[in-house]
Amino acid sequence: MIPYGKHHIDEDDIQAVVRVLQGSMITQGPAIELFEKKVADYVGAKFAVAVSSGSAALHLSALAADIQPGRSLVTSPITFVATANAGLHPGGDVIFADIDPETINMSPEALQNILSKNKSVRAIVPVHFAGLPCDMKNIKSLADEAEAVVIEDAAHALGATYDNGNKVGCCENSLMTIFSFHPVKAIAAGEGGMITTNDEVIYRKLLKLRSHGINKIDDPLLLPEAYDDSERNPWYYEMQELGFHYRITDIQSSLATSQLNKIDDFIARRRTLVMQYDKAFKGLKNCRPAQIMGKEQSGHHLYVLRIDFNSIGLTRGQFMRALSASNIGSQVHYIPVPLHPYYQKLGHNLNSFKNAKEYYDQALSIPLFYDLTDDEQNYVIKTIKALLG
Ligand SMILES: *Cc1c(COP(=O)(O)O)cnc(C)c1O
């Protein structure tokens, strides 16, 4: 079976994990800070906080942005549910802004329209869909006008670059950026996530929130029993906020650090495969690549086709089952978040998201990963073209 996405593990990744297992700290040790430093350096941000998943990173960043009851978070309907859930967990509301039909990213016009009617918006969370960076300058200036902060969901976009060549995650137009290290993403930690920021106050808040709200950094301790003759008591620790256990382990951090050494190769191979798919699916009647721009900028997390299933006389389910019978995996990214039963119960629906709806009806992600060979890719192309008729 050729899956739609997959990680790549080398012997040096295995040895990196073995070294941690043979050492004295398998969690809360030095590998975590090394990983944080490496990601911060790679993307060009001052600070990075590693956590247990991309979803945990989103949750903590919404808390750090002060989302709470009465405040809203705006995001794209075409994303994984975790992006929107980050607004709900702290008791806030979620508002969706329709996508641009060409980029599949949140449309700045749709965002502007929402901000003009809605004074409760506190955070805007653009998603760099499939690794293609959003129009961050435009989004940042709209956010500034509305006095909202920007959190970039870069779960697809580690290694992607903006037009000016800076890396996604440098936070030049956002307060925070989040990444995921789930195995289908650019690099694998097993499970893992990261928040980058240039803001030291936010950084310190995130460090506390990740570990129960306990102050283990050098922030001032609040209660007098912290000190004995002005010396810090050795047993003392202090919970200053309501936090979570969202820590990552040294085992995961060490794997991800080793993986990060290879990211430029990973993306270069993905880019080559994307160019080959683009060429193969150019000029077809019933099928086209969902994103045609930004090939040098994108992190190339996914390759999505838009297929006019009505005109080929197959439902998407039939199409996917036929691919699967030929040992080819495919997936739909994503079921629009407002369509999920939980969101419908909150009053959401797809009525006002014409572009998201049209995209969703046609979308199909086909295999894209570092180890996909040219032969396998040609087989995927041939099989899909035969099904298209
Ligand atoms: C994968 C993903 C997440 C969540 O990351 P996890 O590490 O799986 O929790 C969030 N947003 C988007 C867009 C994703 O693709």
Side-chain angles (χ1 to χ4, degrees):
M1 190 77 183
I2 305 173
Y4 86 83
K6 187 178 179 298
H7 59 279
H8 169 92
I9 301 283
D10 283 324
E11 186 56 32
D12 56 332
D13 298 318
I14 294 167
Q15 287 315 315
V17 172
V18 168
R19 276 196 301 279
V20 171
L21 292 175
Q22 289 171 333
S24 57
M25 310 279 278
I26 56 173
T27 192
Q28 294 179 278
I32 298 167
E33 257 179 66
L34 280 175
F35 179 39
E36 291 171 336
K37 169 118 184 34
K38 192 154 173 131
V39 169
D41 288 349
Y42 178 72
V43 301
K46 275 201 194 131
F47 306 105
V49 178
V51 292
S52 51
S53 69
S55 305
L58 282 161
H59 182 187
L60 294 191
S61 58
L63 283 167
D66 258 341
I67 295 291
Q68 51 178 269
R71 293 177 174 175
S72 322
L73 175 156
V74 182
T75 190
S76 168
I78 301 296
T79 185
F80 185 53
V81 291
T83 318
N85 293 351
L88 300 183
H89 284 308
D93 298 311
V94 175
I95 303 173
F96 297 100
D98 203 2
I99 57 166
D100 175 303
E102 298 305 313
T103 62
I104 321 300
N105 286 334
M106 176 196 285
S107 148
E109 290 72 39
L111 174 63
Q112 185 168 27
N113 188 29
I114 283 164
L115 294 176
S116 72
K117 293 188 295 210
N118 234 298
K119 297 302 159 204
S120 67
V121 176
R122 178 73 193 204
I124 296 163
V125 189
V127 181
H128 304 302
F129 185 81
L132 180 70
C134 296
D135 180 356
M136 291 309 302
K137 278 213 187 90
N138 213 338
I139 290 170
K140 175 67 161 70
S141 78
L142 291 170
D144 285 347
E145 240 171 79
E147 292 177 39
V149 303
V150 179
I151 302 163
E152 295 171 74
D153 183 337
H156 299 181
L158 183 66
T161 52
Y162 304 112
D163 287 342
N164 64 6
N166 290 342
K167 285 225 157 59
V168 168
C170 69
C171 299
E172 64 187 6
N173 284 306
S174 63
L175 182 58
M176 290 169 265
T177 301
I178 77 92
F179 295 100
S180 163
F181 311 115
H182 182 277
V184 295
K185 308 290 165 73
I187 64 168
E191 300 283 359
M194 187 79 77
I195 306 150
T196 59
T197 184
N198 295 318
D199 185 308
E200 187 167 357
V201 173
I202 292 285
Y203 169 64
R204 287 170 170 273
K205 193 169 172 93
L206 291 169
L207 285 180
K208 282 188 219 174
L209 287 172
R210 151 177 92 175
S211 196
H212 311 282
I214 291 171
N215 179 15
K216 285 211 174 117
I217 44 184
D218 51 356
D219 274 4
L221 295 165
L222 301 176
L223 297 186
E225 48 262 63
Y227 302 100
D228 184 5
D229 290 335
S230 85
E231 266 206 77
R232 188 177 167 153
N233 277 320
W235 46 268
Y236 189 79
Y237 64 91
E238 195 167 78
M239 180 185 140
Q240 298 179 334
E241 321 217 5
L242 183 59
F244 298 85
H245 175 185
Y246 277 168
R247 293 188 306 263
I248 194 169
T249 65
D250 284 55
I251 304 166
Q252 294 159 308
S253 298
S254 178
L255 172 57
T257 301
S258 171
Q259 290 259 297
L260 191 55
N261 290 329
K262 294 176 266 216
I263 187 156
D264 292 336
D265 276 353
F266 284 175
I267 291 175
R269 175 61 185 158
R270 284 170 175 269
R271 181 168 294 131
T272 301
L273 291 163
V274 163
M275 301 303 218
Q276 290 170 178
Y277 272 145
D278 277 356
K279 207 167 140 207
F281 294 114
K282 208 172 59 187
L284 298 185
K285 252 197 350 274
N286 311 322
C287 166
R288 65 183 167 93
Q291 295 172 318
I292 53 163
M293 69 298 289
K295 298 296 160 174
E296 294 305 315
Q297 279 77 47
S298 181
H300 298 298
H301 167 54
L302 299 170
Y303 192 84
V304 182
L305 286 175
R306 293 186 67 154
I307 298 174
D308 184 354
F309 291 103
N310 292 329
S311 81
I312 63 170
L314 287 175
T315 65
R316 180 163 48 195
Q318 289 168 333
F319 199 96
M320 290 176 76
R321 280 190 288 271
L323 284 178
S324 180
S326 301
N327 295 317
I328 298 170
S330 61
Q331 188 48 280
V332 177
H333 294 96
Y334 292 89
I335 298 167
V337 181
L339 269 191
H340 284 286
Y342 189 85
Y343 278 86
Q344 290 206 34
K345 262 193 284 175
L346 294 177
H348 294 277
N349 57 62
L350 259 200
N351 296 342
S352 39
F353 308 111
K354 178 174 159 286
N355 296 335
K357 183 171 186 330
E358 281 178 15
Y359 164 80
Y360 171 55
D361 287 342
Q362 301 184 329
L364 192 69
S365 302
I366 62 173
L368 180 67
F369 51 93
Y370 179 76
D371 284 322
L372 186 68
T373 65
D374 286 353
D375 282 350
E376 286 170 332
Q377 186 184 32
N378 288 330
Y379 170 68
V380 170
I381 292 167
K382 202 181 82 192
T383 309
I384 289 174
K385 281 188 167 172
L387 285 170
L388 291 171

